Amino acid sequence: MSCPLGTQTSTYHPGLTYTPRQTTFTATGSLAPCVSPTHPEIVGADFTSSGHGVASCTTADFEDTATYRWNTGQSSKVEGRVTINLKPNGQTVLVRIGEVTGGLFKGATVTQTKILPALNLLDCATDDGLEYVSGPVNLTVVL
């Protein structure tokens, strides 16, 4: 299954700085349109996720749990990892890789990629750090 378009908003506490530190995050978003050969009735989803790990404005590694609520009323619980990497052109790439541990698609592998335009790197230099980011996201579920 593939959901090539979507949006995600993430909040970090404490905010991301240039110094790696323990951080928690929460995220919400939506996906559409989705195409599933095995479940053609699925055309979209909303999702939430949360996790914790060591993070900075240039790199991160989080353990996380996400729940995808499909337009059909079904849901999928995904447990995995989120990594963050700052690319040379200033874009930030977040990748979630996990396994569906409950609900629809149980046992499947999930890859979700979020590419953000250049972060407000000035926020990274403050004591509070970067606390909020938003951007486009896509999802692939491999059965």
Side-chain angles (χ1 to χ4, degrees), residues 1-112:
M1 179 173 80
S2 176
C3 302
L5 299 174
T7 60
Q8 177 177 319
T9 300
S10 301
T11 304
Y12 302 95
H13 183 75
L16 304 178
T17 65
Y18 288 113
T19 303
R21 60 184 173 180
Q22 282 291 327
T23 303
T24 61
F25 82 92
T26 57
T28 60
S30 62
L31 301 163
C34 296
V35 177
S36 173
T38 59
H39 291 73
E41 69 279 10
I42 293 178
V43 295
D46 291 324
F47 65 91
T48 58
S49 65
S50 62
H52 59 89
V54 176
S56 72
C57 279
T58 57
T59 186
D61 185 16
F62 293 107
E63 293 182 13
D64 90 318
T65 301
T67 301
Y68 295 86
R69 289 171 303 284
W70 307 105
N71 64 286
T72 59
Q74 298 164 296
S75 64
S76 300
K77 180 179 177 183
V78 177
E79 296 183 24
R81 299 194 81 74
V82 175
T83 57
I84 300 175
N85 291 292
L86 182 66
K87 300 301 179 191
N89 63 0
Q91 286 185 323
T92 301
V93 178
L94 293 83
V95 178
R96 169 184 291 122
I97 298 176
E99 180 181 340
V100 179
T101 59
L104 188 62
F105 304 118
K106 185 173 181 179
T109 298
V110 169
T111 302
Q112 181 175 327

